Amino acid sequence: MSPETKNGKHYTNNINIFLSLIIVLISINLQGFADNLPTKEGFVIVIDPGHGGNDPGAVGSMSSEKNITLAIALKTGSYIEENLRNVKVVYTRKSDESVGLSTRSDIANKNSADLFISIHANSTGGSNAYGTETYVMGHSMDQANLDVAIKENQVIYLEKDYSTKYEGFDPKSPESYVMFTLVQNIYLKQSTELASMIQTQYKDQVGRFDRGVKQAGFYVLYKTGMPSVLTETGFISNRTEEKYINSEKGQNEIAMSIFRACKDYLAEISKKSINPSQTEDYRKNDTGSVTDSSDYKGKTVFMVQVVTSAKKIEIKPSNFRNLSNVTQLISGNKFRYATGIFTEYNKALEYRKVVEKVYPDAFVIAVRDNKILPLREAIEKKPKK
Ligand SMILES: [Zn+2]
């Protein structure tokens, strides 16, 4: 055997060992992957490809936004479906069709989605701007952010009876944007978390220029009852970037980034997830025994509100991130869900810190006979022990 052959054989052996090692590493990785996922059944991610049908979205020199968003959305969805167990993907559209902005949020709400991701491509008058940015619903004083929102909201002009349907909201009128300052985005923290994860993936994994996480009044994010983001995947108005977001490679990289961000978000949730027994114990400490709200008839109690929803949610731990002591309250035309029952305000405040791990925006409310009372009044009227 000549030295060359021998070396060649060694080389082949090394390659074999190397390949086996990779296979082992991949299996370990996949195993770890599955372990990281939330145990709760039916985590739902709604993927919303912007525009479609008679609305092309932004138009570049060789393509329309509606086709780019659809291609990226379908790729993102299949990465999620293939790799994240227990996660269901719902699309607001799967073909080139017109879908109204309010229909998109309705789809998310009807499917009791846990995340809503709207996919878009950006455009400016000039051709220099490039990079990615991800938005959450909020009020922005920044004109550039507002301009992006105005552009994306204008699709409602294409809808029939848009002024009735959108309660007088006029995308082009700055006054219309006041309404976004009046609502509190209770999912701001979680939405921002997901948005940053998406931006980090774009930047660190595929080297895209990071324009940051921003806030603005996007109608499509306004009515969704879950953490929601709108990601601008690149500028169709920039020749180089238009080519990239139209290419197979570009679309795969973007979809992979969004998928990985979802994976990170899920891993974060499952890390924070409360063990049901932890909350039961907490409640026992307060009341001495596990009771239900009917034991407090006519009395003012304090609870920690976790979710507001336009739609009724079935009370089971898996719908409430493993919280097992959830009560439904109806106020106005909304369903509110609160956890814990405490006779003392301070106990409820302490409990809020436990709940905060899974519902960062949870807050204490005062309740009597399943009706929400003004908190300040309840605290002041409460006889001191
Ligand atoms: Zn768009």
Side-chain angles (χ1 to χ4, degrees):
M1 203 183 274
S2 74
E4 284 82 10
T5 333
K6 206 178 161 197
N7 281 345
K9 202 175 174 196
H10 266 140
Y11 185 57
T12 320
N13 279 342
N14 285 344
I15 284 208
N16 282 337
I17 292 170
F18 181 66
L19 284 179
S20 321
L21 194 63
I22 284 200
I23 289 166
V24 169
L25 283 177
I26 288 174
S27 340
I28 290 173
N29 200 17
L30 284 177
Q31 190 60 46
F33 206 43
D35 287 344
N36 272 341
L37 294 177
T39 47
K40 74 171 193 159
E41 284 289 310
F43 191 93
V44 179
I45 301 180
V46 169
I47 299 182
D48 174 45
H51 315 278
N54 63 353
D55 164 30
V59 178
S61 65
M62 55 174 272
S63 60
S64 293
E65 183 185 354
K66 66 171 184 177
N67 299 323
I68 299 168
T69 59
L70 181 60
I72 296 172
L74 295 176
K75 284 174 193 288
T76 307
S78 46
Y79 283 135
I80 294 174
E81 280 166 340
E82 281 159 25
N83 296 293
L84 300 179
R85 252 194 312 137
N86 290 341
V87 176
K88 185 179 156 199
V89 174
V90 175
Y91 299 92
T92 55
R93 67 178 179 102
K94 282 185 96 172
S95 61
D96 184 17
E97 57 177 319
S98 304
V99 183
L101 284 190
S102 59
T103 309
R104 294 170 194 257
S105 36
D106 285 351
I107 291 173
N109 294 337
K110 276 184 193 138
N111 282 282
S112 307
D114 298 275
L115 288 180
F116 177 82
I117 303 171
S118 192
I119 297 175
H120 289 258
N122 224 333
S123 153
T124 49
S127 58
N128 294 333
Y130 64 99
T132 62
E133 54 196 26
T134 299
Y135 283 88
V136 300
M137 213 289 288
H139 178 57
S140 175
M141 300 302 282
D142 187 319
Q143 190 59 40
N145 297 0
L146 184 61
D147 287 346
V148 177
I150 289 173
K151 219 174 295 158
E152 298 292 7
N153 290 333
Q154 275 181 39
V155 302
I156 74 170
Y157 290 136
L158 298 173
E159 292 184 47
K160 256 189 236 159
D161 308 326
Y162 74 83
S163 70
T164 339
K165 202 161 161 191
Y166 292 91
E167 297 148 335
F169 174 76
D170 180 358
K172 278 187 181 166
S173 139
E175 289 80 50
S176 276
Y177 287 79
V178 172
M179 74 182 202
F180 297 110
T181 64
L182 304 177
V183 291
Q184 186 205 3
N185 179 359
I186 61 163
Y187 297 104
L188 184 62
K189 207 166 164 181
Q190 291 134 291
S191 304
T192 306
E193 206 169 272
L194 176 65
S196 330
M197 286 169 174
I198 293 176
Q199 283 302 121
T200 302
Q201 287 294 333
Y202 288 151
K203 183 173 82 173
D204 295 349
Q205 299 290 334
V206 290
R208 304 290 305 283
F209 176 67
D210 179 14
R211 299 171 64 94
V213 172
K214 300 175 177 183
Q215 289 192 23
F218 287 90
Y219 203 94
V220 74
L221 305 180
Y222 176 56
K223 290 234 165 131
T224 53
M226 77 265 344
S228 304
V229 302
L230 183 148
T231 184
E232 296 282 3
T233 57
F235 282 80
I236 200 168
S237 47
N238 176 308
R239 278 287 181 108
T240 320
E241 217 161 59
E242 185 185 14
K243 264 187 214 156
Y244 175 77
I245 57 181
N246 273 284
S247 69
E248 190 69 18
K249 175 179 180 276
Q251 292 177 350
N252 281 337
E253 287 181 352
I254 293 165
M256 184 55 92
S257 299
I258 301 171
F259 150 69
R260 285 201 183 116
C262 291
K263 190 196 85 183
D264 290 350
Y265 183 89
L266 283 167
E268 201 57 35
I269 287 184
S270 80
K271 227 195 289 172
K272 286 178 187 167
S273 185
I274 295 180
N275 177 346
S277 62
Q278 208 180 327
T279 59
E280 287 297 351
D281 286 351
Y282 207 90
R283 212 169 144 213
K284 275 182 190 159
N285 288 344
D286 177 57
T287 61
S289 64
V290 175
T291 48
D292 69 61
S293 57
S294 57
D295 292 354
Y296 293 96
K297 218 170 178 347
K299 289 179 192 158
T300 300
V301 291
F302 298 96
M303 295 181 169
V304 178
Q305 183 176 316
V306 289
V307 173
T308 311
S309 168
K311 208 191 125 203
K312 195 171 176 170
I313 303 171
E314 190 190 338
I315 295 187
K316 53 179 183 181
S318 62
N319 280 344
F320 294 94
R321 300 183 188 161
N322 283 343
L323 289 174
S324 52
N325 49 348
V326 172
T327 307
Q328 176 183 281
L329 306 158
I330 300 169
S331 118
N333 49 1
K334 295 264 182 191
F335 295 94
R336 295 175 197 275
Y337 296 87
T339 171
I341 299 173
F342 302 92
T343 49
E344 286 172 52
Y345 175 62
N346 287 343
K347 290 273 182 186
L349 272 185
E350 275 174 43
Y351 182 55
R352 190 189 68 90
K353 285 186 189 139
V354 178
V355 176
E356 211 178 28
K357 285 191 221 154
V358 281
Y359 284 104
D361 304 308
F363 55 93
V364 175
I365 51 170
V367 177
R368 189 166 51 226
D369 296 332
N370 274 24
K371 287 203 177 66
I372 298 175
L373 311 171
L375 186 59
R376 180 180 291 269
E377 215 175 279
I379 298 168
E380 281 165 4
K381 280 193 184 159
K382 198 87 188 162
K384 296 265 175 332
K385 274 194 180 176

